[in-house]
């Protein structure tokens, strides 16, 4: 009896304290929301696909406001955002329950396993007056598009990358505030929807990769705020789409639009992107006279013909003019020389002929000039040195002749010079010492010895002198070019022995005339292991950290900087092997990785290192084989099967989160090995990209 009394007293205290404890922790979140969150927690658990720990743990942390993906108001009185991507949510009840939280502003349910949107969700969440963003992309939804009633404040709706089907009629028309709609990558059929909110405030519309049929609807032009349309569709651009009053920006790039560019354009246009379509006809000259604010004009990769209209010179604010990959003919209009704000001029892959007009060399702000793959002739004007802001100059694959003007050395910001496949001759002048990405003089008519001045280019990555008539001994001074990674000397009249580069230079050299050569192609310096170990022991040397490894900078006795990669033993994938055995294996073989730290940041090599790590395959001949293999695979295999490219040894042990990180790193690595150096991320953005991945 006494004992029983004590027990109930203890129970009372226990409950009191437990209750008190709950009260204390949840003092501000309303009981309703607390109950709902516990309900959601219960619905999440049984389906959890997570290798433990699960994202939410009520025992460990009873306050829902501090759970992963949950955002509350600053005083913790109400839940405002639920961001639950990759939560392995499968239950429709979960969707219905969460709508009880009537203070929600943003809900992200992307990357889950939901098969449909239940009616309870549509009615429940439709009533939430403050809901602005809803994202259920990539979540395996199928069936028809539900009707959105209510959702009065919804501004952004993303249902892309699901398997939704059927036609779209009035399901979305009830929303009054919708500004951004993405229905891309589904299986919708019928005609392109035109009822997308009666209030006509839509700004962005994504409809690409569906099975819509028919013509581009004229009525789309009624959405006067629309600035970006992505619909992979066909048909021509409606005549009045570009002329709506107050139109600032329109992006119709990467669709399958055909026909010609409408001549009437709104004088308020700042940015017009029509690239990567099938537009034909001429560039309408009359429209540009009045486009005083036009700053970005992109018409690239179409089938446009006729001349470049001189009237473009009226667009005084143009900063980017991209007309590349068309069938444009005629000469480079001298009038373009007045575009004093132009920063990029891209005219490559056209049929332009004639000489490079001196007026073009007066563009004081021009940074990138690409006129490659045309039929320009005559010589490079000495006034080219007036382009004082120029960083990349590409004149390859034309018919240019004469010698390179000596004044070219004055281009103090030039980092890339592409002059291959022309008819240039004479002596090579002193090149700008700023050159980094490449100096390519291949397939021209240069002759005589390789000039000594070339060795001053100590920041240069790639030097291609192939297919000329350079003669004499291969000079030793080439080894002074300490950033060089690729040297191409083939098809010249050179002889002798390739000098010993300190490290990592791929030398491509063979001779048509059968001169004596010794091709010792690839040089790797022997890494001083004790120096490397010492560098790795000091956190101050740390450069980058990812899920799998940390990169350290190490300076070798010879003065060269290396990037040393250390695998993170804590990563589950590597725990199978003990550290000692791993080192032994390294010595026997994964080669210990070394990477030159060049001034330009050898992003390509870094990409290769990442690929080796992700695929578990060795990089044969400095990565070219591996890069080729990965590029082919990623083109052949649909991106949701890219996992197959990854090292199965890593996959078998890693959690789903780690898989996704690996895929993200794979995407970054693909960027690093992009064929064109300027498509590769620079060292700083690379760091940001990697940090993004590792903090997900
Ligand atoms: C919650 O965390 C506790 C430790 O705080 C742990 O014992 C329990 O297994 C976790 N529960 C789940 C479902 O992960
Ligand atoms: C908490 O802050 C919100 C505004 O964010 C306010 O409306 C509400 O009254 C506050 N609640 C409490 C309990 O202080
Ligand atoms: C929550 O959602 C609002 C409204 O969409 C958004 O402005 C805010 O940035 C989001 N906050 C967080 C922490 O995600
Ligand atoms: C929706 O989520 C996906 C995947 O997380 C993301 O890529 C996309 O940008 C989001 N959509 C919007 C409109 O924010
Ligand atoms: C939309 O445009 C079409 C023709 O382009 C027109 O007939 C129709 O009245 C417009 N609708 C609205 C609501 O303005
Ligand atoms: C548009 O595509 C449909 C098939 O989806 C085709 O029948 C039609 O000929 C195409 N129209 C044009 C102008 O290419
Ligand atoms: C040009 O567009 C076509 C599709 O119309 C695409 O396959 C190709 O890759 C594009 N080329 C460039 C250089 O973007
Ligand atoms: C443009 O292409 C269409 C077919 O898409 C063709 O009928 C028309 O003749 C072409 N126009 C010009 C100027 O090439
Ligand atoms: C270069 O000029 C020659 C004639 O001098 C011509 O046959 C050839 O097609 C031209 N090449 C290019 C790329 O324009
Ligand atoms: C010029 O355009 C060609 C073809 O698109 C491209 O491969 C090259 O990298 C461009 N050159 C520069 C310097 O951007
Ligand atoms: C140099 O330019 C030519 C085109 O003129 C190109 O074929 C070659 O691949 C380039 N060399 C290097 C090393 O990129
Ligand atoms: C490595 O460098 C240290 C000095 O930094 C030197 O004492 C040692 O002999 C070197 N080892 C080899 C194998 O070169």
């Amino acid at each position: 009896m006494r004992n029983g009394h004590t027990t109930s007293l203890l129970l009372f205290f226990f409950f009191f304290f437990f209750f008190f404890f709950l009260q204390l922790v949840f003092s501000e979140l309303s009981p309703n929301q607390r109950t709902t969150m516990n309900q959601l927690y219960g619905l999440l658990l049984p389906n959890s696909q997570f290798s433990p720990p699960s994202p939410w743990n009520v025992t460990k942390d009873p306050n829902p406001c501090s759970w992963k993906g949950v955002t509350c108001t600053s005083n913790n009185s109400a839940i405002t955002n639920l961001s639950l991507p990759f939560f392995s949510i499968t239950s429709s009840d979960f969707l219905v329950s969460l709508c009880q939280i009537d203070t929600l502003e943003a809900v992200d349910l992307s990357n889950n396993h939901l098969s449909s949107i239940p009616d309870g969700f549509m009615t429940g969440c439709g009533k939430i007056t403050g809901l602005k963003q809803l994202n259920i992309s990539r979540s395996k939804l199928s069936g028809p598009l539900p009707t959105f009633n209510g959702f009065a404040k919804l501004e952004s709706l993303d249902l892309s990358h699901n398997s939704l089907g059927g036609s779209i009629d009035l399901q979305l028309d009830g929303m009054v505030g919708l500004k951004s709609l993405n229905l891309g990558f589904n299986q919708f059929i019928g005609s392109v929807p035109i009822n997308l909110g009666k209030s006509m405030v839509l700004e962005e519309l994504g409809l690409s990769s569906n099975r819509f049929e028919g013509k581009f609807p004229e009525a789309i032009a009624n959405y006067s705020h629309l600035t970006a349309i992505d619909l992979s569709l066909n048909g021509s651009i409606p005549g009045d789409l570009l002329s709506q009053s107050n139109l600032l920006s329109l992006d119709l790039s990467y669709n399958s639009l055909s026909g010609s560019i409408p001549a009437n354009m709104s004088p308020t246009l700042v940015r017009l992107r029509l690239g990567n379509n099938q537009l034909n006809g001429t560039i309408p000259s009359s429209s540009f006279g009045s486009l005083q604010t036009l700053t970005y004009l992109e018409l690239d990769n179409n089938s446009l013909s006729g001349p470049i209209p001189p009237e473009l010179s009226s667009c005084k604010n143009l900063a980017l003019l991209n007309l590349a990959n068309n069938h444009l003919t005629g000469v480079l209009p001298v009038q373009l020389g007045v575009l004093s704000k132009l920063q990029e001029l891209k005219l490559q892959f056209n049929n332009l002929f004639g000489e490079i007009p001196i007026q073009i060399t007066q563009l004081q702000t021009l940074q990138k000039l690409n006129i490659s793959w045309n039929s320009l002739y005559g010589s490079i004007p000495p006034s080219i040195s007036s382009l004082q802001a120029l960083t990349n100059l590409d004149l390859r694959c034309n018919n240019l002749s004469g010698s390179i003007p000596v004044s070219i050395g004055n281009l103090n910001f030039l980092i890339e010079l592409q002059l291959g496949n022309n008819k240039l001759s004479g002596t090579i002048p002193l090149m700008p010492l700023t050159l980094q990405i490449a100096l390519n003089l291949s397939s021209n008519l240069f002759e005589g010895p390789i000039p000594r001045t070339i060795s001053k280019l100590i920041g240069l990555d790639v030097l291609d002198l192939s297919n000329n008539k350079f003669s004499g001994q291969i000079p030793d001074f080439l080894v002074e070019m300490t950033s060089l990674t690729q040297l191409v000397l083939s098809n010249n009249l050179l002889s002798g022995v390739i000098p010993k580069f300190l490290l990592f230079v791929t030398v491509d050299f063979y001779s048509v005339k059968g001169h004596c050569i010794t091709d010792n192609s690839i040089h790797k310096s022997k890494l001083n292991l004790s120096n490397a170990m010492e560098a790795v022991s000091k956190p101050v040397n740390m450069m980058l950290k990812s899920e799998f490894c940390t990169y350290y900078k190490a300076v070798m006795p010879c003065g060269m900087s290396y990037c040393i990669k250390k695998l993170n033993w804590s990563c589950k994938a590597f725990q199978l092997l003990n550290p000692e055995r791993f080192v032994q294996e390294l010595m026997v073989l994964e080669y210990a990785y070394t990477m030159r730290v060049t001034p330009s940041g050898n992003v390509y090599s870094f990409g290769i290192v990442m690929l080796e790590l992700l695929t578990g395959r060795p990089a044969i001949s400095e990565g070219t084989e591996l890069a080729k293999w990965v590029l082919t695979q990623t083109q052949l295999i649909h991106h949701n099967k890219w996992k197959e490219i990854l090292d199965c040894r890593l996959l078998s042990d890693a959690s789903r989160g780690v898989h996704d990180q690996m895929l993200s790193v794979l995407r970054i690595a693909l960027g690093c090995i992009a064929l064109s150096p300027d498509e590769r991320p620079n060292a700083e953005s690379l760091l940001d990209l990697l940090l993004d991945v590792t903090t997900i």
Side-chain angles (χ1 to χ4, degrees), residues 632-650:
T632 318
Q633 293 299 307
T634 49
Q635 273 152 19
L636 286 179
I637 303 180
H638 189 262
H639 63 81
N640 59 29
K641 292 204 171 154
W642 278 12
K643 252 191 224 168
E644 291 169 14
I645 301 168
L646 301 178
D647 187 349
C648 54
R649 285 170 299 175
L650 297 184

Side-chain angles (χ1 to χ4, degrees), residues 217-239:
E218 294 269 333
I220 286 281
N222 291 356
Y223 289 86
S224 56
H225 299 274
L226 208 55
T227 57
I229 306 177
D230 179 3
L231 33 79
S232 303
L233 235 221
N234 58 19
S236 55
I237 303 175

Side-chain angles (χ1 to χ4, degrees), residues 512-557:
V512 273
K513 289 244 166 167
H515 281 260
C516 160
I517 55 151
T518 315
D519 187 351
N520 52 356
S521 64
I522 298 156
H523 308 259
K524 280 186 196 176
S525 91
K526 288 198 184 68
L527 195 68
N528 183 321
L529 268 178
S530 56
N531 276 41
M533 297 311 275
E534 199 188 293
V536 165
S537 69
K538 293 181 185 155
V540 68
N541 291 322
M542 197 193 289
M543 295 168 65
L544 270 187
K545 198 169 167 26
S546 78
E547 173 80 9
F548 312 107
C549 51
T550 312
Y551 293 88
Y552 296 85
K553 185 182 170 155
V555 182
M556 292 298 120

Side-chain angles (χ1 to χ4, degrees), residues 258-260 278-282 303 305:
S258 56
S260 55
Q278 283 143 30
L279 298 168
N280 67 4
T282 57
S303 299
S305 54

